[in-house]
Amino acid sequence: MVDAEDLAAQALAIGEGVQPQTAMQTFGVQIVLIRREQLRLAEMETTIKIAVSMFPSLPIYRAALAIIHKEIHRDGEARRILDELMAEDFIGKMPDDSFRLAALVLMADLSHHLDDRASAEKIYNAIAPFNHQHITIFPAMGSLGSTDISLGRLATTLERWDDAERHFDDVLLENASLDNRIWLGEGQCAFAHMLLKRNGPDDSERASKLLIASLAIGQEIGAKSMVEKALALKVKLQGLDSSNVKSSIETIAASVSHDQPDLRSHAAPDGTVTLIFSDIEGSTALTERLGDRRWMELLKEHNKIVRRHLGEYQGFEVKSEGDGFMLAFQSASQALRCAIAIQRDLETHNAGAAERIAVRIGLHTGKVIKEANDFFGKNVILAARIAGQARGGQILASAVVKAIAESVGDFEFANRRELELRGLAGLYETYEVTW
């Protein structure tokens, strides 16, 4: 990826002396594709938003923005764009040019990620006539792979296993013959995902071999996105996914609920304490990819950021374990400011770091003074479960936190959700904190 970035910059320097506008457009496309493989797409969000505002009639820029939202774990925003484009019938209204196929390929990726069967069916039917074609954004600007990988992903979403397998077989054959390693590795990873989802005889063994091959390619060419996806699937294949392993949040919540530390000195005058739970998303796969030494360096930086803002907003560290924290605050507004400051600081860190730290945060406020057993039996667990529902880079707050914070008036909330939380009866309102 370093070589690709250097070559793109060299091409820009040459092209600016001949056709500066085309050269800049080409460089823009190429750098977006490179940043995607480097797990640095967040850096391109502002640029793509400008393109959306300048070219509102071109769905490809909105599709690209949705992909950025997906990659930085803002699925709600990604789904909103997908729903808008499908409602506008972007498939039927788009001119039949290279932009159309490129937009369809991006939307196929999004539909597959969101497991949206309705859009998957329509996008599959739109791409199918162009089977075996390689998608480029204008001549030589950038490659989005062959239509077969998009069709394979969509067929996986639709659980058309025979079609999916046929498409992925074609992906591997085509890209191996062309020595196109990046799309060969992507195809191997996507094929493995399909096999794990189908879970038929010998599928696990075949998936394992594909993931080993994909990891080797990703590590060789420096495609962090490919490596991360392959590692996550490898972890799942080994039976170490979130359904089998306790997260740091769950471990801390169980320990604190058992020990019941005295939090009365950290309560507000009305007897309430606002709790924050947080941990690093995908830490198991990240540790395996980085190795112990680099993981500990990353963890040290993460812990330093959390503790710096904890002190700034007068919070108390109840417990930390692994990559997780439980924090307590007298004030809900101070807890929210702390959470926002942590995410903003991490965003700054990620912009200039080789490895991205994606932290999920959840908050809830409950009374602690009178009934300690009830507090630890429900409020601590509720805060932990809310954090567990967040994605990396996201802050989720309970309805109680929102109600308290709205009286202050300087916080914004979005994406109201009603969740069933494991171990707790009923539905619970949560809101995403805009930071």
Side-chain angles (χ1 to χ4, degrees):
M1 287 299 119
V2 174
D3 290 343
E5 190 168 349
D6 288 343
L7 289 169
Q10 291 172 30
L12 172 63
I14 296 170
E16 283 180 322
V18 183
Q19 293 184 333
Q21 185 174 2
T22 301
M24 182 55 69
Q25 288 176 336
T26 301
F27 178 75
V29 170
Q30 291 170 346
I31 205 68
V32 166
L33 295 175
I34 291 168
R35 291 288 180 263
R36 184 178 186 179
E37 293 303 323
Q38 293 173 329
L39 295 177
R40 294 171 57 187
L41 260 185
E43 299 172 24
M44 307 305 300
E45 183 176 7
T46 300
T47 302
I48 297 300
K49 283 183 175 179
I50 292 171
V52 170
S53 64
M54 291 177 63
F55 306 101
S57 63
L58 292 178
I60 188 170
Y61 291 113
R62 291 160 69 189
L65 181 60
I67 290 294
I68 290 177
H69 287 315
K70 183 206 85 169
E71 294 291 338
I72 61 177
H73 311 294
R74 294 178 184 168
D75 280 3
E77 287 298 305
R79 183 172 290 280
R80 178 183 61 78
I81 295 174
L82 173 64
D83 291 344
E84 287 177 354
L85 288 171
M86 297 306 296
E88 294 168 12
D89 187 24
F90 86 101
I91 297 174
K93 294 179 180 178
M94 286 177 65
D96 193 10
D97 57 15
S98 61
F99 274 133
R100 182 177 189 272
L101 265 181
L104 285 170
V105 166
L106 294 179
M107 297 306 288
D109 187 358
L110 187 64
S111 178
H112 172 62
H113 172 74
L114 296 173
D115 197 28
D116 190 299
R117 294 174 67 94
S119 62
E121 180 83 35
K122 294 178 181 179
I123 297 170
Y124 183 96
N125 291 337
I127 296 177
F130 304 95
N131 197 17
H132 304 314
Q133 291 195 20
H134 197 92
I135 307 305
T136 57
I137 305 173
F138 281 149
M141 273 194 178
S143 167
L144 294 176
S146 70
T147 52
D148 291 291
I149 194 168
S150 297
L151 292 168
R153 285 171 172 157
L154 293 168
T156 299
T157 300
L158 297 167
E159 298 185 358
R160 297 177 184 172
W161 306 124
D162 290 345
D163 287 338
E165 185 164 9
R166 173 171 52 84
H167 289 306
F168 286 130
D169 281 337
D170 289 341
V171 169
L172 302 193
L173 181 63
E174 292 164 3
N175 288 289
S177 65
L178 294 170
D179 194 26
N180 190 338
R181 289 181 295 166
I182 190 165
W183 288 110
L184 176 60
E186 287 284 349
Q188 290 164 337
C189 191
F191 198 170
H193 175 263
M194 185 281 285
L195 293 169
L196 290 175
K197 187 173 181 181
R198 184 174 67 179
N199 195 28
D202 301 323
D203 279 352
S204 293
E205 182 178 352
R206 294 174 65 194
S208 179
K209 292 178 180 178
L210 287 165
L211 291 173
I212 291 170
S214 179
L215 275 170
I217 292 174
Q219 290 167 342
E220 181 184 354
I221 66 176
K224 293 181 181 179
S225 175
M226 187 191 305
V227 170
E228 186 173 87
K229 285 184 287 190
L231 276 173
L233 288 171
K234 185 179 177 184
V235 167
K236 184 176 182 180
L237 180 62
Q238 293 169 339
L240 299 177
D241 62 317
S242 58
S243 63
N244 295 311
V245 174
K246 283 189 175 181
S247 68
S248 297
I249 290 171
E250 290 178 313
T251 301
I252 291 173
S255 175
V256 169
S257 296
H258 178 268
D259 296 340
Q260 297 192 2
D262 189 352
L263 298 180
R264 287 176 294 179
S265 62
H266 307 288
D270 64 356
T272 60
V273 172
T274 299
L275 302 175
I276 284 180
F277 277 89
S278 73
D279 71 0
I280 298 175
E281 183 181 55
S283 58
T284 302
L286 195 59
T287 305
E288 183 173 347
R289 176 162 63 85
L290 296 179
D292 290 341
R293 184 180 64 81
R294 292 180 64 201
W295 163 248
M296 291 306 298
E297 291 173 355
L298 195 71
L299 186 62
K300 183 178 180 181
E301 181 64 25
H302 160 262
N303 292 352
K304 183 171 67 175
I305 289 171
V306 172
R307 289 182 172 127
R308 178 167 63 246
H309 295 298
L310 175 67
E312 181 182 356
Y313 292 100
Q314 295 85 50
F316 170 69
E317 184 177 323
V318 181
K319 190 174 181 65
S320 63
E321 186 165 331
D323 58 305
F325 279 91
M326 176 182 172
L327 312 174
F329 296 80
Q330 289 186 344
S331 162
S333 61
Q334 288 292 82
L336 279 167
R337 290 189 178 96
C338 180
I340 291 169
I342 289 169
Q343 294 290 26
R344 288 176 175 171
D345 206 345
L346 287 168
E347 185 175 46
T348 300
H349 168 273
N350 290 338
E355 298 295 340
R356 183 175 181 273
I357 307 174
V359 169
R360 51 184 186 163
I361 297 176
L363 300 93
H364 176 60
T365 300
K367 286 200 171 185
V368 70
I369 295 296
K370 293 183 179 180
E371 299 292 341
N373 287 334
D374 287 346
F375 176 80
F376 287 100
K378 181 176 180 180
N379 292 301
V380 168
I381 299 301
L382 180 53
R385 294 287 187 266
I386 289 172
Q389 291 291 320
R391 299 291 299 270
Q394 190 177 48
I395 304 170
L396 288 185
S398 69
V400 177
V401 171
K402 177 177 180 290
I404 296 171
E406 282 182 331
S407 63
V408 178
D410 57 349
F411 298 103
E412 294 183 12
F413 298 86
N415 299 329
R416 175 185 176 275
R417 297 165 62 191
E418 286 191 344
L419 301 176
E420 292 184 4
L421 301 176
R422 181 167 52 85
L424 297 169
L427 295 175
Y428 293 85
E429 285 186 16
T430 65
Y431 297 83
E432 183 174 354
V433 181
T434 304
W435 56 270

